[in-house]
Amino acid sequence: MIKTMRTLLGGLLLAAATVGAWWAWLGWETGYTVDPETGERTGPYAVWQVAGCVLTLALLAAVGGWWLNPWLVVPVMTVAFTAAWSVHAASTDATGLWAVGAVLVLIGTAAGTTVVSLASWLVHRRTGGSAT
């Protein structure tokens, strides 16, 4: 019963933290930047925003992998981040290309959280942690 509650609470907290990471780094961005000299359009995110978001997600995946099973961490973080990103992208994109971006976000988030959470989980097991 305690393990089930820990898993449920851990999954909910991880989902909330993942959506929070998206919101803190990327959720407030609303537009593209146009260089007045070249006319080049960039964005909507700056490199520092994406880097900060990726590092935050990596930290969450590492902590999640340490305390929870990667088989919980990966789907929770992947679905939470992709859903948050997709809702915002779909509401601001008139072209429909947000769906392509959503697939790429899904694949990238799944790959990253798998590598980081599994590595953290294996380290925890090898250093005497319990096998969850």
Side-chain angles (χ1 to χ4, degrees):
M1 179 68 172
I2 291 176
K3 184 176 178 181
T4 302
M5 287 301 293
R6 182 178 121 182
T7 300
L8 179 61
L9 183 59
L12 290 172
L13 288 172
L14 187 59
T18 300
V19 171
W22 168 82
W23 183 81
W25 289 104
L26 307 176
W28 50 270
E29 187 62 68
T30 59
Y32 289 84
T33 304
V34 178
D35 185 324
E37 290 184 20
T38 64
E40 184 179 342
R41 189 172 132 176
T42 60
Y45 310 118
V47 172
W48 65 268
Q49 288 175 281
V50 176
C53 189
V54 168
L55 291 174
T56 303
L57 291 174
L59 177 64
L60 289 174
V63 171
W66 189 269
W67 293 106
L68 303 166
N69 192 304
W71 300 117
L72 173 69
V73 174
V74 173
V76 165
M77 288 187 69
T78 300
V79 169
F81 191 82
T82 303
W85 186 91
S86 296
V87 166
H88 184 262
S91 69
T92 60
D93 178 32
T95 67
L97 289 176
W98 70 268
V100 175
V103 170
L104 296 174
V105 166
L106 177 91
I107 292 168
T109 306
T113 56
T114 298
V115 169
V116 173
S117 66
L118 188 58
S120 177
W121 182 73
L122 289 170
V123 167
H124 185 233
R125 286 189 63 196
R126 289 188 180 188
T127 59
S130 65
T132 53

